[in-house]
Amino acid sequence: MSMVIRQIHPVFVGEVSGVDLTKPLSREEVAALEAGMDRYAVLVYHDQAITDEQQMAFSVSFGPLEDARGGNIIKPEDRRLQVGMNDVSNLGKDGRPMERDSRQRAFNLGNMLWHSDSSFRPIPAKYSILSARLVNPVGGDTEYADMRAAYDALDSATKAEIEDLVCEHSLMCSRGSLGMLDYSDEQRTMFKPVRQRLVRTHPVTGRPSLYLSSHAGAILGMPMAEARILLRDLTEHATQPAFVYAHRWRLGDIVMWDNRQVMHRVRRYDDTQPRDMRRTTVAGDRPTVAQA
Ligand SMILES: [Fe+2]
């Protein structure tokens, strides 16, 4: 059976059938998926009983994996998964849901804010690839917002106003908005704000998109309050239902998205029950703007 991509949302998202991601892909299949990503920005696969090794092998078809260091407060010795795998479960090293008052859990709850993965890095991520190994019975949908469609729908005055704006992104901003304000000096250095363009252009298609994320907390040359109102306003615009796809997870699903073209967030779920989701991240290849 040959691979087919069917669009499942009015503006983006393709559902892929006829491909087994646990096996090595041909060059033609990789090229077709990459072209599908350029067009749909999010690709959904079902019934993929994939291992960590297979997921990493699939991911590197699209470029080197991102170095995950500096993206979390977890200590290396507390990690549940091997290097190369991002643990976005609610599980501790012992395989059980984390305690309600755990700082790690609080930090991970930040994934419920709209964001683009690694926008807090000078070279932000290309793709994220998320596989459902254990699905929580209640809630936990992942929502995606098409930032190209959101950009296209802006009025021309707003487009002109934001064209050359540069934001500062930091994990301390997204987590700060959840009341997490205490960081060690080491963490403050690790989470130092980076610069990102507010409007970015896709390197292949040339399509412009809004580059928003809850990590963004300031705009260069603009008073803080004014910047945050603008960012909030643009985020509200970009996440209106017409631009959003909600993925209801089934066991064995894999969703792959282009962080350069979409934002995403996780919805609330029953945190007393396990949810095992494992992400691989394909590194980006260029900054959106020069750093300070
Ligand atoms: Fe994420």
Side-chain angles (χ1 to χ4, degrees):
M1 186 180 166
S2 61
M3 195 169 78
V4 174
I5 305 179
R6 178 176 71 95
Q7 189 167 340
I8 58 171
H9 180 280
V11 296
F12 68 145
V13 189
E15 184 184 66
V16 187
S17 56
V19 65
D20 180 353
L21 304 189
T22 68
K23 305 242 165 61
L25 300 183
S26 69
R27 194 181 299 209
E28 292 72 28
E29 285 174 314
V30 171
L33 290 176
E34 189 126 17
M37 287 293 281
D38 291 343
R39 178 165 175 188
Y40 302 110
V42 179
L43 292 178
V44 174
Y45 310 81
H46 300 293
D47 305 315
Q48 306 285 338
I50 204 164
T51 65
D52 289 355
E53 283 70 24
Q54 289 164 344
Q55 184 173 337
M56 287 190 281
F58 168 64
S59 303
V60 297
S61 309
F62 305 100
L65 297 184
E66 184 179 271
D67 182 343
R69 280 176 296 185
N72 205 294
I73 56 170
I74 198 165
K75 299 189 190 80
E77 61 269 29
D78 293 335
R79 284 179 56 91
R80 190 174 67 99
L81 306 179
Q82 63 184 295
V83 171
M85 300 300 297
N86 297 84
D87 192 356
V88 286
S89 72
N90 65 343
L91 307 174
K93 203 179 178 185
D94 61 0
R96 302 159 70 103
M98 282 178 265
E99 297 294 330
R100 196 168 186 190
D101 62 356
S102 143
R103 184 169 165 83
Q104 181 66 49
R105 172 175 179 262
F107 195 87
N108 292 355
L109 287 176
N111 291 323
M112 293 183 172
L113 302 170
W114 284 108
H115 66 284
S116 175
D117 286 335
S118 300
S119 75
F120 52 84
R121 297 185 192 279
I123 297 182
K126 181 184 178 189
Y127 298 162
S128 292
I129 297 159
L130 187 59
S131 78
R133 309 295 180 88
L134 193 57
V135 174
N136 195 274
V138 181
D141 291 4
T142 302
E143 292 181 346
Y144 298 90
D146 187 339
M147 307 301 283
R148 307 164 301 178
Y151 177 83
D152 290 346
L154 292 171
D155 61 69
S156 51
T158 306
K159 283 179 182 166
E161 183 191 353
I162 66 173
E163 187 61 45
D164 292 318
L165 294 182
V166 174
C167 301
E168 286 190 334
H169 291 232
S170 166
L171 277 163
M172 289 188 291
C173 177
S174 50
R175 273 51 184 179
S177 75
L178 300 181
M180 298 185 75
L181 301 168
D182 298 328
Y183 298 93
S184 64
D185 288 346
E186 188 190 357
Q187 287 170 339
R188 282 187 184 281
T189 306
M190 190 161 81
F191 299 151
K192 187 168 130 349
V194 303
R195 294 180 173 185
Q196 305 290 1
R197 290 187 61 87
L198 182 50
V199 178
R200 67 185 298 180
T201 306
H202 193 274
V204 178
T205 66
R207 274 190 81 177
S209 62
L210 278 173
Y211 193 36
L212 294 166
S213 192
S214 61
H215 307 309
I219 297 175
L220 297 185
M222 191 181 284
M224 175 76 85
E226 186 184 339
R228 292 205 172 179
I229 290 293
L230 174 58
L231 291 170
R232 196 176 284 208
D233 213 39
L234 290 170
T235 301
E236 258 179 49
H237 163 80
T239 57
Q240 57 186 289
F243 308 139
V244 172
Y245 163 72
H247 186 74
R248 176 99 204 92
W249 291 96
R250 301 196 319 229
L251 188 65
D253 280 357
I254 288 182
V255 179
M256 168 175 176
W257 64 92
D258 187 343
N259 287 295
R260 303 167 302 181
Q261 312 196 70
V262 300
M263 273 205 296
H264 62 283
R265 68 171 174 179
V266 185
R267 302 316 307 270
R268 296 176 68 237
Y269 58 88
D270 179 358
D271 220 353
T272 65
Q273 300 297 313
R275 179 182 199 262
D276 192 352
M277 309 290 291
R278 302 184 184 197
R279 194 185 90 204
T280 37
T281 316
V282 179
D285 62 1
R286 68 195 77 181
T288 65
V289 69
Q291 299 302 310

